[in-house]
Amino acid sequence: DAGITQSPRYKITETGRQVTLMCHQTWSHSYMFWYRQDLGHGLRLIYYSAAADITDKGEVPDGYVVSRSKTENFPLTLESATRSQTSVYFCASSESQGINYGYTFGSGTRLTVV
Amino acid sequence: GENVEQHPSTLSVQEGDSAVIKCTYSDSASNYFPWYKQELGKRPQLIIDIRSNVGEKKDQRIAVTLNKTAKHFSLHITETQPEDSAVYFCAASPTGRRALTFGSGTRLQVQP
């Protein structure tokens, strides 16, 4: 859906560099999430946010930093990239209301750390 | 925290046959169980979901069943078609927590 966009789609960076992945949604969804997808591991939660200025760690937060100063944006920063962070990163958002809260995912960012 | 196990990791069926993918979860507080389909190079997309107060839900050729006592839930696809070929993920979420824990995925291949 065009309502949630990630950038860049592809990124190659060197070990030790800082890199930021962007996520923007236009629905004013309260919840936003960052997952990484690696073969054999499915989707693993890195960080999530329930609202602006509220963030929480997921399953694999080490080496990542997030912020959410505005409801629509949820950037993910790798402070010092390592090869083990080579992965496909998906951002997702979810409504705060309703009993079923399936995610809508962005198109993903394929990050390669060399 | 929640742990979701998914089986099988790969599944090959003939067109027209049924396919079943099974997941187990560890946290008895989980009450929401969605399934996602991910085609090659694409984003995961929600195909069906179920809450813990419902035992079964159907949507055309797909259905999900939930056994709370055994803590497992399954995806059933009937009359499979080549376009059903994709990776399928199950997920679970405890009450009051929107963050989903995903299974490791099942690659379904439907042979024409």
Side-chain angles (χ1 to χ4, degrees), chain A:
Chain A
D1 291 4
I4 181 165
T5 56
Q6 292 184 236
S7 61
R9 287 297 308 275
Y10 303 92
K11 176 74 176 177
I12 300 174
T13 192
E14 295 179 340
T15 301
R17 288 193 179 270
Q18 182 181 83
V19 59
T20 296
L21 310 184
M22 304 301 294
C23 181
H24 175 78
Q25 54 108 353
T26 60
W27 296 304
S28 298
H29 284 172
S30 294
Y31 285 83
M32 296 187 74
F33 310 86
W34 275 106
Y35 284 84
R36 62 177 289 174
Q37 184 173 33
D38 306 289
L39 196 62
H41 290 281
L43 293 149
R44 292 182 291 176
L45 181 65
I46 304 170
Y47 270 96
Y48 68 102
S49 169
D53 298 322
I54 300 175
T55 63
D56 205 352
K57 296 179 180 180
E59 181 185 358
V60 288
D62 292 345
Y64 303 95
V65 175
V66 293
S67 62
R68 195 162 176 212
S69 57
K70 294 183 178 181
T71 299
E72 60 266 31
N73 297 322
F74 191 38
L76 176 73
T77 298
L78 288 67
E79 292 188 301
S80 179
T82 65
R83 291 193 179 88
S84 64
Q85 293 177 309
T86 293
S87 185
V88 179
Y89 291 85
F90 284 101
C91 176
S93 70
S94 173
E95 296 180 15
S96 60
Q97 305 300 322
I99 60 172
N100 295 336
Y101 38 88
Y103 295 174
T104 301
F105 284 90
S107 298
T109 294
R110 183 175 295 275
L111 176 68
T112 303
V113 183
V114 298

Side-chain angles (χ1 to χ4, degrees), chain A residues 35 96 99 101 103 107, chain B residues 32 36 38 43 51 98 100:
Chain A
Y35 284 84
S96 60
I99 60 172
Y101 38 88
Y103 295 174
S107 298
Chain B
Y32 177 62
Y36 287 82
Q38 186 179 29
R43 73 190 81 188
R51 290 191 68 84
R98 296 251 170 188
L100 293 171

